[in-house]
Amino acid sequence: MKTLLIKFTILFSIVLAFSSCDDEELRDTRVTAVNMLYEPADAKSIILQSSASASVYFEWEPAKAEDSGMVLYEIAFDVEGGDFSAPVYKMASDNNGGYNHATVTHKQLNKIGAMAGIGSAETGKLIWTVFSSKGVNELKGAETRTMTITRLAGFADIPVDVFVTGAGSEGGSNIADGSVMKAIAPGEFEIYTKLLAGEAYYFTDATSGTPRQFYVDSNVIKEGESSSTVATTGVYRINIDFNTGATVFTEILDLHLYFSPLGENIFSLDYIGHGVFKASSQPITFKQEGWGRDERYKFTMDIKDSEGNESVEWWGTLNSTDGRPTGNDEYFYMTKVPESQWDDKWKFDGIMDLALVDVFAYFQAEGPYTHNVVKVGDQ
């Protein structure tokens, strides 16, 4: 009997310990719901902007945790009339969910609007609230607010690849010869290409079969079987953002090789097609200094925007270097850099002094923008 009593006591203690542990775990995960939303005000109307820095600030009253620890938050969006049982979108607040506020970009809101069924460039309503939790057992906020957004003229279904084709393009009317655009960010594409004045061009998402077709109307990219033209034959940098629908056309007036020791452009590169510029048999003479012969160089690009304003872009090394070519392709990679006579430059190989050279600049989709210098003779 005494043995049985001891066993029963031990069993009861174990059960009590597990029960206490479960209760402790529950207390560790209990939080209160968010009672009050602060920003933005209820029924706020927002016309979304394409700028990468445009955003909306959301803030709410902090929830409380039973263990006095950190509370995690997610802001949730749903369609008007929804109950958040299956919200169209949820995202953690700032600081990976640790702050009682969130910064939501206009581009994010544009995507959320599309998920809620608001059409491109249309106005519609969303509702939002905040969920609080310790990572489990989340609670929906006590308050729900409405916001009205006017979406950007972007696309919910963004193409993976984009090509330029049509009679006015470099590839001509044969869609199979369309020129591929470079993907520079999610939904954003760029190309350096020649367009013919008055001749039709358009964009596709493939070069065979029955691809989707896009065209430009008042600097907005639209889907449909139509086309566009330019007023002036020239080389253009075309930027398309399918997230916002925005397009930017920049005419390339000239590309120069800039020789830093002289502080001036010493010759131009001609456009030869498909994103490639070339200067042929140009003389290179290093500058004699007290310490040696200076061979530093970079590029400048004369451009004109759609409003007719002209300016100069500076192009230098993508990978910082202070030496001559290393034999690696990465040495020649190019990117836009701040204006400077000496910074972000390359150095000619020593054999280029008093030589005749061909210089190539490649602005193509297949890889990083780059260039090359080839000795073709002596002066």
Side-chain angles (χ1 to χ4, degrees), residues 114-125:
M115 296 169 69
I118 304 172
S120 175
E122 293 182 354
T123 300
K125 290 184 178 180

Side-chain angles (χ1 to χ4, degrees), residues 57-294:
Y57 180 75
F58 292 78
E59 187 178 7
W60 50 88
E61 181 184 38
K64 296 179 180 178
E66 188 166 330
D67 66 355
S68 300
M70 177 181 285
V71 178
L72 298 177
Y73 303 98
E74 283 187 303
I75 183 169
F77 297 88
D78 210 343
V79 297
E80 187 178 22
D83 60 4
F84 296 98
S85 59
V88 296
Y89 191 78
K90 291 175 74 175
M91 62 177 288
S93 68
D94 293 345
N95 191 34
N96 296 317
Y99 290 163
N100 65 308
H101 54 78
T103 304
V104 184
T105 67
H106 281 205
K107 287 189 175 183
Q108 287 174 308
L109 284 173
N110 190 55
K111 293 179 180 179
I112 295 168
M115 296 169 69
I118 304 172
S120 175
E122 293 182 354
T123 300
K125 290 184 178 180
L126 297 170
I127 59 173
W128 67 278
T129 192
V130 177
F131 285 80
S132 55
S133 74
K134 295 285 288 184
V136 294
N137 303 325
E138 63 180 11
L139 288 178
K140 183 172 76 70
E143 184 182 358
T144 297
R145 287 189 175 180
T146 301
M147 64 189 311
T148 300
I149 64 169
T150 300
R151 280 194 59 214
L152 299 165
F155 293 76
D157 183 14
I158 295 174
V160 175
D161 298 306
V162 181
F163 303 84
V164 185
T165 187
S169 71
E170 288 192 34
S173 298
N174 186 355
I175 191 174
D177 296 325
S179 301
V180 62
M181 299 188 72
K182 182 182 183 68
I184 58 175
E188 299 180 30
F189 298 86
E190 179 176 270
I191 191 172
Y192 286 76
T193 193
K194 186 175 183 179
L195 297 175
L196 301 178
E199 296 288 342
Y201 71 92
Y202 58 95
F203 305 90
T204 65
D205 66 349
T207 54
S208 62
T210 55
R212 296 166 67 191
Q213 184 170 321
F214 309 92
Y215 65 99
V216 176
D217 180 14
S218 300
N219 295 323
V220 175
I221 190 74
K222 297 182 178 180
E223 186 168 359
E225 294 184 1
S226 187
S227 59
S228 311
T229 61
V230 293
T232 304
T233 295
V235 180
Y236 292 87
R237 179 173 63 215
I238 306 173
N239 291 88
I240 301 177
D241 187 345
F242 282 90
N243 303 296
T244 64
T247 65
V248 178
F249 281 68
T250 304
E251 186 176 358
I252 311 302
L253 302 176
D254 209 343
L255 179 65
H256 311 273
L257 189 137
Y258 177 89
F259 195 50
S260 297
L262 299 179
E264 62 185 38
N265 300 316
I266 58 174
F267 56 78
S268 293
L269 286 73
D270 298 321
Y271 185 74
I272 62 173
H274 302 289
V276 181
F277 296 77
K278 179 184 179 182
S280 299
S281 298
Q282 294 296 319
I284 296 294
T285 301
F286 298 172
K287 185 183 179 187
Q288 184 64 51
E289 302 286 2
W291 46 262
R293 293 180 69 76
D294 199 338

Side-chain angles (χ1 to χ4, degrees), residues 38-50:
Y38 294 154
E39 294 287 343
D42 194 25
K44 185 176 180 66
S45 293
I46 302 169
I47 299 175
L48 301 182
Q49 305 295 321
S50 59

Side-chain angles (χ1 to χ4, degrees), residues 283-310:
I284 296 294
T285 301
F286 298 172
K287 185 183 179 187
Q288 184 64 51
E289 302 286 2
W291 46 262
R293 293 180 69 76
D294 199 338
E295 69 269 52
R296 290 173 283 184
Y297 71 97
K298 59 179 70 174
F299 295 91
T300 61
M301 182 181 287
D302 297 339
I303 61 173
K304 182 166 66 174
D305 65 21
S306 58
E307 302 298 320
N309 302 309
E310 297 186 12

